């Protein structure tokens, strides 16, 4: 209804009736709420529930529901407009009554009675406006608590507050005004109760001035009481739990939060962690837009997705990722078992197998890790064994490269898979493939990367594997790392075309090959340590180094990582944690005089500098202190330290400081310092 029509009704001298008018558009998102557009009209509908920010109303379509109180204002309308509104509602109710075969629900029957009482009230108001006495001279329609009808503007992108009018002025503040000289009063709280239609809207009140029973005043009083109750309740504490909203909020738990993450992943290209972050960002933004409003589902979901959401047991097998992964692995197993197709290809299956492998790799990388582990661990990891066997049976490198990608993703997920692959024929097959493709950089890097992952946990491989992945294999790696020509390179050229080699070597440089081989040697060396099956066997890595006259590039890379104290092998988070691969390698090199002789004099000086710096920084009880003390002892023992005695005084001060420490955690370090001093008295006892 426009403001012009309101003013016209006042100019005609008729006593107006109150209706509710929408100030803004609103889109309903909750049950029992109504959507509406700006300037849409409503009449108040009685309810037996206490209200704070939501009023129950009837719109022109005869729909009953709740609307936010800070989205509407009271206006004065003529009785004829009330009658027109009621007629439109009653017409819709009559059509519903006819369509339902003369049966009507109790709710619609109550609505019909309520509309009838409003009609009767409006007709009586219309009659009293014609025959009643003129208003007093000092009467003003805008006097008292009648609201302003000018809508408030809403900033672009603003969202109304649902727990209090944070974005908009509250009723009782800017919307209600008092005449000059009168003190503003807070209306006493009136709790609307469900009465009969006559009690609520058809109640007649005698006008003391006119002597007439003024039903218009009764209607206005009832509506005003309802507005006053809601306006007062806007300022009440948000801790009250009997609001109508609290009966509408759904209960949200971790299962539903997980389902939301899965839906986001299903309809986007995001992985599991990215889906959780995306949902968290959206909920955080929504929480900020709501301001001080209370929205329990949003708050609960935001709390749940702020950390990894536990995987429900039902999702381990029934989720889309679980079904897809199981199907792809089953189909790949069928391809492995199809002996006739492998011996004599009856059809082109490379594109089909490629799709299976890409699907498996994608799921293992992006899906929930718990789901992937559950599928892979079924039947004692039979799927993992099948994929490893398929690599051995497959001869096409394009498919083999995809299998390596799948196996790499499997190792990241589960430490048991690393042990299974270590005990399988896969390491021997990878070593054989590397030696037969020594000029194909891409193959070398991919194969070395998976072998490094398999050896990175420090678990000893079966002793029979040493025949194929032993000293000769390490010598092959060191030769390529140092840039030497080996016979394997010449032999591999015969098996590959020049075009294939050019394409493979264009994408992967020799520096990448050298770096991957260096990491592989470090990971391979982790097997020879106390507590493993190779404890009493000669260290094949050190034996291969001892046979060389130089290892310049290898030792340069090693010293660089010792200085940084970085471990490029530690890429898996599985337990138990293996030793530091770089520190173990440098200690193993220094243990034998033959390999320690590969270090230049400047290299040993750098090692002493690094050790002294670390010993000064590390606290008592840190296991690395013993490593650096042992490094100092081996430099003194197996290198020509007497020729330069680099930083001897600093070593003496460092040992004295450690020896004088009084903490219990320092005792193992003090014993080692005493042993070093007794072994080299000429340096420390003068």
């Amino acid at each position: 209804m426009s403001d012009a029509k309101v003013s016209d009704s006042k100019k005609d001298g008729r006593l107006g009736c109150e209706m509710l008018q929408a100030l803004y558009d609103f889109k309903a998102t909750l049950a029992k709420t109504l959507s509406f557009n700006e300037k849409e009209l409503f009449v108040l509908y009685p309810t037996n529930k206490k209200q704070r920010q939501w009023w129950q109303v009837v719109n022109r379509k005869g729909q009953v529901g709740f609307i936010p109180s800070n989205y509407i204002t009271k206006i004065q309308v003529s009785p004829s407009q009330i009658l027109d509104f009621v007629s439109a509602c009653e017409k819709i109710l009559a059509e519903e009554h006819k369509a339902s075969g003369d049966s009507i629900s109790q709710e619609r029957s109550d609505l019909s009675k309520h509309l009838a009482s409003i009609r009767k009230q409006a007709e009586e108001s219309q009659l009293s406006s014609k025959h009643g006495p003129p208003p007093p001279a000092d009467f003003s329609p805008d006097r008292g608590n009648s609201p302003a009808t000018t809508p408030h503007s809403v900033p672009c992108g603003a969202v109304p507050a649902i727990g209090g009018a944070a974005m908009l002025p509250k009723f009782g503040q800017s919307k209600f005004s008092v005449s000059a000289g009168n003190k503003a009063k807070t209306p006493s709280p009136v709790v609307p109760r469900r009465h009969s239609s006559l009690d609520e809207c058809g109640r007649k009140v005698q006008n003391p001035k006119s002597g007439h029973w003024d039903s218009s005043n009764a209607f206005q009083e009832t509506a005003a009481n309802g507005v006053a109750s809601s306006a007062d309740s806007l300022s009440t504490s948000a801790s009250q739990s009997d609001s109508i909203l609290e009966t509408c909020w759904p209960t949200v738990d971790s299962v539903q939060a997980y389902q939301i993450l899965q839906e986001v992943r299903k309809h986007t290209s995001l992985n599991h962690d990215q889906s959780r972050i995306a949902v968290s960002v959206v909920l955080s933004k929504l929480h900020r837009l709501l301001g001080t409003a209370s929205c329990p589902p949003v708050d609960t979901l935001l709390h749940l997705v702020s950390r990894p959401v536990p995987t429900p047991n039902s999702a381990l097998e029934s989720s889309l990722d679980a079904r897809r992964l199981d199907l792809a692995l089953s189909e790949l197993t069928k391809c492995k078992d199809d002996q006739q197709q492998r011996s004599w290809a009856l059809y082109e299956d490379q594109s089909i197998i490629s799709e299976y492998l890409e699907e498996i790799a994608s799921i293992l990388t992006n899906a929930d890790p718990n789901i992937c582990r559950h599928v892979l661990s079924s039947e004692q990891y039979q799927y993992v064994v099948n994929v490893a066997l398929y690599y051995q049976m497959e001869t096409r490198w394009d498919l083999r490269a995809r299998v390596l990608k799948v196996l790499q993703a499997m190792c990241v997920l589960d430490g048991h898979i690393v042990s299974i692959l270590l005990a399988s024929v896969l390491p021997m097959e990878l070593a054989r493939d590397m030696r037969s493709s020594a000029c194909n950089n891409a193959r070398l890097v991919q194969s070395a990367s998976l072998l490094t992952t398999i050896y990175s946990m420090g678990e000893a491989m079966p002793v029979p594997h040493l025949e194929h992945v032993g000293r000769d294999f390490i010598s092959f790696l060191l030769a390529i790392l140092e840039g030497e020509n080996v016979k394997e390179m010449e032999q591999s050229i015969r098996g590959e075309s020049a075009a294939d080699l050019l394409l493979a070597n264009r994408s992967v440089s020799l520096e990448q090959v050298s770096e991957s081989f260096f990491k592989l040697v470090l990971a391979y060396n982790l097997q020879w340590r106390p507590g493993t099956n190779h404890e009493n066997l000669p260290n094949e890595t050190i034996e291969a180094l001892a046979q060389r006259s130089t290892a310049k590039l290898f030792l340069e890379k090693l010293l660089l990582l010792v200085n940084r104290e970085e471990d490029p092998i530690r890429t898996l988070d599985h337990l138990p944690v293996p030793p530091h691969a770089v520190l173990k390698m440098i200690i193993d090199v220094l243990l034998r005089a033959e390999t320690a002789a590969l270090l230049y004099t400047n290299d040993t000086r750098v090692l002493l500098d690094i050790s002294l710096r670390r010993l000064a920084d590390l606290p008592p009880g840190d296991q690395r202190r013993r490593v650096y003390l042992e490094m100092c002892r081996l430099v003194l023992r197996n290198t020509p330290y007497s020729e330069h005695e680099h930083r001897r005084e600093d070593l003496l001060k460092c040992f004295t400081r450690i020896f004088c420490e009084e903490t219990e955690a320092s005792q193992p370090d003090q014993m080692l310092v005493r042993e070093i001093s007794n072994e080299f008295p000429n340096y420390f006892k003068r």
Side-chain angles (χ1 to χ4, degrees), residues 143-144 178-185:
R143 185 177 180 181
V178 294
S179 58
N182 290 340
K183 198 172 184 179
K185 294 183 179 180

Side-chain angles (χ1 to χ4, degrees), residues 100-356:
S100 61
D102 296 334
S103 64
I104 188 170
S105 64
Q106 182 64 37
E107 291 80 3
R108 305 305 277 178
S109 177
D110 291 343
L111 176 60
S112 180
K113 292 177 183 179
H114 180 63
L115 292 173
S117 69
I118 294 178
R119 172 182 288 281
K120 183 177 180 180
Q121 177 184 339
E123 290 173 348
E124 292 176 352
S125 177
Q126 193 174 38
L127 183 62
S128 66
S129 67
K130 291 180 180 180
H131 301 289
D138 61 346
F139 175 77
S140 174
D142 295 330
R143 185 177 180 181
N145 290 338
S146 53
T149 58
T150 304
H152 295 272
S153 61
V154 178
C156 178
V159 174
I162 302 181
M167 298 291 184
L168 303 172
K170 292 183 179 180
F171 283 105
Q173 295 178 356
S174 63
K175 294 204 176 290
F176 292 102
S177 61
V178 294
S179 58
N182 290 340
K183 198 172 184 179
K185 294 183 179 180
T186 304
S188 59
V190 179
V191 180
R193 296 177 296 170
R194 183 175 294 278
H195 305 287
S196 66
S197 300
L198 203 57
D199 279 340
E200 191 67 36
C201 296
R203 197 169 39 165
K204 297 184 178 180
V205 180
Q206 187 175 13
N207 191 322
K209 293 186 178 182
S210 65
H212 293 283
W213 290 94
D214 194 348
S215 61
S216 173
N217 287 340
F219 176 78
Q220 294 175 26
E221 179 186 359
T222 303
N225 287 341
V227 173
S229 172
S230 297
D232 180 68
S233 62
L234 283 173
S235 61
T236 59
S237 173
S239 63
Q240 297 177 356
S241 61
D242 51 0
S243 170
I244 183 63
L245 276 181
E246 295 180 0
T247 64
C248 301
W249 295 128
T251 302
V252 180
D253 55 18
S254 60
V255 175
Q256 292 169 317
Y258 187 86
Q259 291 172 350
I260 293 174
L261 300 186
Q262 289 298 300
E263 286 297 317
V264 172
R265 166 158 165 70
K266 177 181 176 182
H267 293 91
T268 64
S269 58
L270 301 178
N271 62 31
H272 180 71
D273 288 336
Q274 290 171 342
S275 299
R276 182 181 62 81
I277 295 173
V279 173
S280 178
V281 170
V282 172
L283 291 174
S284 298
K285 182 64 176 178
L286 182 59
H287 184 74
R288 288 194 295 270
L289 290 176
L290 292 174
T292 58
S294 174
C295 188
V298 173
D299 298 340
T300 304
L301 282 174
L302 183 58
H303 173 72
L304 290 171
V305 302
S306 61
R307 57 182 61 86
V309 182
T311 308
N313 292 332
S314 58
L316 293 176
E317 294 182 358
S318 62
S319 65
L320 179 61
D321 285 326
R323 297 196 304 270
R324 288 168 54 205
L325 181 59
D326 185 75
L327 177 62
L329 289 169
S330 299
E331 292 299 322
L332 186 64
T333 300
K334 293 178 182 178
C335 296
K336 176 188 75 73
D337 296 336
D338 192 351
Q339 298 180 2
Q340 183 177 7
Q341 171 68 13
R342 290 201 318 272
S343 60
W344 185 268
L346 302 178
Y347 56 90
E348 179 56 44
D349 61 352
Q350 182 166 346
S351 60
I352 299 173
I353 298 176
S354 296
E355 290 180 4
Y356 291 152

Side-chain angles (χ1 to χ4, degrees), residues 468-487:
H468 303 275
V469 193
R471 191 178 310 174
D472 292 343
F473 178 68
I474 299 301
S475 298
F476 162 76
L477 296 178
L478 292 172
I480 294 183
L481 196 155
E482 296 293 335
E484 300 173 2
N485 294 324
V486 294
K487 296 180 179 179

